[in-house]
């Protein structure tokens, strides 16, 4: 019988990863309210926005407005994505608790996503990591395409280990093992996590799964079986990948919390409040929530 963790910390990435691909502009006030609702539901780690060129991600052009509008709660970590030193310097004024740099375990995806090789991306991130640590800001490294790539196909665990080692070498404190296009299955994601664990202990590895083939919950369970207790999700299943045709959203936070609570694992999250948050943001975007648990719980309410 696997020894599952007694508690799991969930990072909700919906304000950033979940909304970044929305074609219609989402008002800053809606993004701010989403963060407020998430923290009121008990989320203690939230990925709020990113500091990338508006030319590439216009949805995140309101980063300063969003960060300035937050009513911060003690004990909540507010993270932002910073692709380069210019982005970090812009973020610094907004006082994030954590910055996220991102690299791919696939050379082709790295070229398509950030227009440089894996090695070049690490060179670009090194001064960002150094500056953040000197400023007392935590650093997380998002490792994308750790099991599959839309251009290269299967990604071997050795590539994940290599990327994790490079992240470690520049001072990144913890890493995400991300199945960016949602092609992973439980044994594949376990191998990717084990590869990352050559350089990071399990306390500093988080799991990030998309649900393209309906495997995200199974993959989350597989990560828990290894001892991973940091899990990323997106309320209402928001999100996708602009560089992977057909890739669907992140695993829904509501579905993950329902599963964990059913296993007796503590998350500190109020599921009813979370379901209401998912329904609210889905209504703001004019769509139905992708969370099966939320739909069932809402229907039960009548």
């Amino acid at each position: 019988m696997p020894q599952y963790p007694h508690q799991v910390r969930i990072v909700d990435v919906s304000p950033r990863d979940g909304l970044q691909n929305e074609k219609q502009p989402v008002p800053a006030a809606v993004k701010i309210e989403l963060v407020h609702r998430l923290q009121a539901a008990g989320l203690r780690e939230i990925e709020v926005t990113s500091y990338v060129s508006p030319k590439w991600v216009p949805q995140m052009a309101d980063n300063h407005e969003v960060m300035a509008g937050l009513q911060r709660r003690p004990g909540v970590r507010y993270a932002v994505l910073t692709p380069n030193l210019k982005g970090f310097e812009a973020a610094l004024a907004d006082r994030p608790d954590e910055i996220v740099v991102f690299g791919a375990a696939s050379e082709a995806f790295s070229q398509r996503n950030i227009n440089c090789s894996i090695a070049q991306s690490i060179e670009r991130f090194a001064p960002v990591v150094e500056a953040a640590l000197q400023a007392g800001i935590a650093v997380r490294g998002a490792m994308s395409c750790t099991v599959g790539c839309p251009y290269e196909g299967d990604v071997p665990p050795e590539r994940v280990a290599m990327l994790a080692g490079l992240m470690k070498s520049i001072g990144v404190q913890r890493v995400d093992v991300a199945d960016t296009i949602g092609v992973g299955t439980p044994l594949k994601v376990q191998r990717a996590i084990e590869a990352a664990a050559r350089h990071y202990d399990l306390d500093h590895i988080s799991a990030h799964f998309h649900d393209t083939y309906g495997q995200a919950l199974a993959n989350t369970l597989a990560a828990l079986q290894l001892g991973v207790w940091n899990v990323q999700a997106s309320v209402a299943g928001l999100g996708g990948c602009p560089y992977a045709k057909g890739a669907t959203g992140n695993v829904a936070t509501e579905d993950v919390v329902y599963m964990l609570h059913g296993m007796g694992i503590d998350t500190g999250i109020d599921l009813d409040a979370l379901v209401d948050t998912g329904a609210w943001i889905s209504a703001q975007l004019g769509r139905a929530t992708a969370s099966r648990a939320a739909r069932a719980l809402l229907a039960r309410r009548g």
Side-chain angles (χ1 to χ4, degrees):
M1 186 73 178
Q3 293 296 311
Y4 293 105
H6 297 297
Q7 64 177 9
V8 165
R9 179 171 57 196
I10 295 180
V11 182
D12 193 289
V13 300
S14 59
R16 199 280 302 174
D17 195 21
L19 295 179
Q20 68 176 0
N21 297 322
E22 290 293 315
K23 292 181 172 57
Q24 298 301 318
V26 179
V30 171
K31 296 173 183 175
I32 293 166
E33 179 66 16
L34 175 58
V35 174
H36 289 167
R37 286 173 179 255
L38 289 171
Q39 64 189 21
L43 271 300
R44 291 296 172 262
E45 290 203 37
I46 303 170
E47 198 168 287
V48 178
T49 187
S50 65
Y51 293 78
V52 299
S53 169
K55 175 183 176 182
W56 300 111
V57 187
Q59 191 65 254
M60 298 288 110
D62 57 3
N63 43 38
H64 292 299
E65 184 180 357
V66 171
M67 290 294 285
L70 296 181
Q71 295 177 11
R72 301 194 185 202
R73 289 195 174 190
V76 176
R77 174 176 284 193
Y78 303 92
V80 302
L81 198 73
T82 57
N84 49 41
L85 199 54
K86 181 179 179 181
F88 170 75
E89 289 169 349
L92 192 58
D94 293 330
R95 301 178 298 107
D97 299 305
E98 181 178 61
I99 60 119
V100 183
V101 296
F102 52 94
S106 155
E107 283 289 353
F109 193 84
S110 182
Q111 291 286 355
R112 297 289 186 96
N113 192 23
I114 53 178
N115 302 309
C116 66
S117 68
I118 295 172
Q120 288 170 333
S121 72
I122 296 297
E123 291 176 6
R124 182 185 299 173
F125 298 143
V128 179
V129 174
E130 181 181 7
L133 294 177
Q134 287 180 350
I137 299 172
V139 180
R140 173 159 52 90
M143 303 194 301
S144 60
C145 292
T146 60
V147 291
C149 169
Y151 313 112
E152 295 182 6
D154 288 346
V155 173
E158 290 71 23
R159 303 290 297 178
V160 180
M162 179 203 71
L163 179 58
L166 291 172
M167 291 274 189
K168 188 78 169 183
S169 72
I170 62 171
V172 172
Q173 296 167 311
R174 59 176 182 157
V175 291
D176 312 332
V177 175
D179 179 15
T180 309
I181 60 172
V183 296
T185 49
L187 288 180
K188 287 183 178 180
V189 301
Q190 284 186 337
R191 293 184 185 116
I193 290 168
E194 288 168 346
R198 298 179 201 173
H199 300 281
Y200 289 89
D201 60 55
L202 292 175
D203 289 344
H204 296 95
I205 294 175
S206 60
H208 179 118
F209 301 128
H210 287 240
D211 207 30
T212 310
Y213 290 88
Q215 300 294 296
L217 278 179
N219 290 341
T220 300
L221 190 63
L224 297 175
Q225 288 173 350
L226 292 181
V228 171
W229 59 279
N230 295 288
V231 175
Q232 298 185 3
S234 178
V235 74
L238 298 179
C241 180
Y243 299 93
K245 185 178 180 180
T248 57
N250 295 283
V251 64
T253 312
E254 302 97 312
D255 292 349
V256 174
V257 171
Y258 180 83
M259 180 183 76
L260 293 173
H261 287 184
M263 296 171 65
I265 298 174
D266 178 44
T267 65
I269 295 171
D270 181 333
L271 181 56
D272 284 333
L274 184 66
V275 166
D276 289 341
T277 299
W280 174 81
I281 188 61
S282 297
Q284 296 297 313
L285 299 175
R287 67 178 65 161
T289 176
S291 166
R292 294 181 179 89
R295 292 200 301 268
L297 290 168
L298 288 167
R300 186 182 300 174
R301 292 180 188 176

